[in-house]
Amino acid sequence: MSDKQQQTTADETPAEPGRRKFLGSAAVVGLAGAGLGLAACNKEADKAPAAVVPGKDAAGKTAVAGAHASGEVKPGQLDDYYIMSSGGHSGEVRIYGAPSGRTIKRIPVFNIDPMVGWGITNESKKIIGVKPDGNPKYRTGDTHHVHGSYTDGTYDGKYFWTNDKLNNRLARIRGDYMECDKITEIPNVQGFHGMFPDKCDPLDAKINHTTRVFCGGEFNTPFVTRGPGVRDIKNYASLATCVDAETMEIRWQLKLDGNMDLCATSYDGKLAAFNQYNSENGVILGDMMSAERDGCVFLNIERIEAALKAGKFVTLGDSKVPVIDGTKAANADPKTALTCYVPVPKNPHGVNITPDGKYFVCAGKLSPTATVIAHELVLKWFDGGLKEPRETVVAEPEIGLGPLHTGFDGHGNAYTSLFLDSQVVKWNIDKAIAQFKGDKQAQVVLDRIDVHYQPGHGYTSMGETREADGRYFNSGNKFSKDRFLPVGPLHVEAEQLIDITGAKMVLLHDHTAYPEPHDAIIVRRDKIKTKQIYTMDEFPHAVKDANAAGVERKGNKVTVRLMGVAPNFSMNEFTVKKGDEVTIILTNHDKVEDLAHGFGLEQYDINFIVNPQQTASVTFKADKPGMFWYYCTHFCHALHLEMRGRMIVEA
Ligand code: RUQ
Ligand code: CUA
Ligand code: CA
């Protein structure tokens, strides 16, 4: 039996990784190359998890009591949870059902999507922003994290946010229509990565919804925008940005030492934490790994807001955003400090807060440890009650190689993804604290399960809320070779759903994810209430009736107002002149749930849909003379194919 198998055998004490100390820089560089697939061999796929009956633990007992105990969702049944997932460099957000793993929606955000017409319709371009030529300002993005709005420490279903690491934007998705409704560009920052909204707002008890979203800047970036100074890393810093959740305007930015990577906010609204792996402010790998310790930085939000009010800020370059000084040098006195830099082992990744609000867990990445930092002690440091920020650390258990992200079950256990070990490790927080205090008998690590392969993010059902229910852990694996039918060079990603209700973790199933999701949240289905039909009045330009429909010309600007009622457009023909700027406005008059119409215009590269009672529009130049069919692209009726008309462009 191999060493690894022993670790997952039910009746054996999980092996502690104590023999494996910090990885040297050289070792990690090696792993980053040829060694990446290290655990991904065929043998791995044949191991224990496949032999376990879904929904049963290793002893064969039923693991979950509930509608979908086996993890199977039968035809016609609905899932218990929404998984709101990022889509990585596809630029989109996806929704999966849990436990089935079925994909239920792809929400275009930073990408262009012809299925719905995102980046094609005037309405979506207004949200994305346009260049002077009328094209979208950006066509791509890189979403890593999705988080929902909170009321009293749990999801209220109103909004979801996602980040764009590539073009540094924060996008908001409305929870009712599950569509992006606002995008804010963040100035002065590159590599906007971690993001987390307030879990409540204690500063204003009257506001019972989320009021702020905290955004990190992973890449250190120069403060000067031109001249030779852009090369000099002495001019580099990273900023944390605070965005107002309702207006989506930027409230403030905070200049920090090192970099701001992932983010977690506290349940009392007092703290936002960011892990930093580049406290060295390096621009090459070797430099970024030179320090033995980096940090977990805590922002004292109340004090930062007070500094803003008191006018203690500067602005940078062309941006009007107030930038407050959160650097170590400017915040040496805890009693007035805006920031607390807690040293944690080498290049940490991921910071998450326990559902009881007591502890932040910062995963080690290059260190086989997770650092547990007490929320209460961070506040104590800010009150001047501790000498060193490091005194806020209450545990630092060794849990395995390459710890990245941690989910919680609400029963005091943490589940951390181990990238290098290709495992998820279950460990107990109280036991870790006892061990740190000197209890050598404390059994910190409770279980390990192999995942296939190299997990990045992992997250539990409702685990980012006070209502963490300890049912599922979803492992977002970065490599999947041999798990699915091969489809050419690029493999689909593997997500593995794990039942965490029992003492042992049980793998329920694999599901695919189009590359490349990072983080997600698992939201109980009753938290989300979507609308299936728009209200026509939501669209000021709706084509409400036959009187409003038709063709209107103003100079060379032509507006074509169309209604769609299955299986007809209100006009079968319209005529414009070559060189006209044509705007087509289409309102879907059908009120039947799921009855969308599409509008495709031959040879003009126009393609979008309108959902029931929705209005959308496109504007283009009629630069080609001739006859062009427009047709309904979305199957709506037995006579859907006949739902079409002609655009005549006169020379
Ligand atoms: S990151 S695999 Cu983009 Cu959230 Cu950690
Ligand atoms: Cu209307 Cu298809
Ligand atoms: Ca470092």
Side-chain angles (χ1 to χ4, degrees), residues 250-263:
I250 296 171
R251 284 167 82 106
W252 45 260
Q253 293 191 301
L254 191 73
K255 184 185 169 190
L256 295 134
D257 291 313
N259 70 337
M260 297 299 107
D261 192 14
L262 292 140
C263 182

Side-chain angles (χ1 to χ4, degrees), residues 81 150 152-155 199 267 352-357 406-415 429 459-473 500-501 521-524 527:
Y81 298 88
Y150 286 77
D152 297 333
T154 192
Y155 299 124
K199 294 194 179 78
Y267 281 90
N352 299 86
I353 187 167
T354 54
D356 60 11
T406 303
F408 305 98
D409 62 7
H411 308 300
N413 301 311
Y415 300 77
I429 295 161
Y459 33 87
T460 54
S461 43
M462 295 297 284
E464 299 277 11
T465 75
R466 282 197 198 285
E467 296 185 291
D469 60 17
R471 283 185 68 188
Y472 299 112
F473 179 95
I500 57 167
T501 54
I521 51 175
I522 307 180
V523 182
R524 227 171 54 218
K527 296 288 174 188

Side-chain angles (χ1 to χ4, degrees), residues 327-340:
T327 57
K328 270 186 200 168
N331 293 278
D333 179 5
K335 288 200 163 159
T336 55
L338 310 180
T339 48
C340 173

Side-chain angles (χ1 to χ4, degrees), residues 144-145 165 193 262 349 404-405 456-457 478 518-519:
H144 284 224
H145 305 106
K165 180 170 168 176
H193 190 207
L262 292 140
H349 186 86
L404 293 184
H405 293 279
H457 272 279
K478 299 294 188 191
H518 288 237
D519 196 12

Side-chain angles (χ1 to χ4, degrees), residues 565-569 595-598 632-637 640-641 643:
V565 184
N568 275 301
F569 289 115
L595 206 166
H597 296 293
C632 180
T633 52
H634 206 95
F635 212 103
C636 58
H637 191 275
H640 152 78
L641 293 176
M643 185 169 173

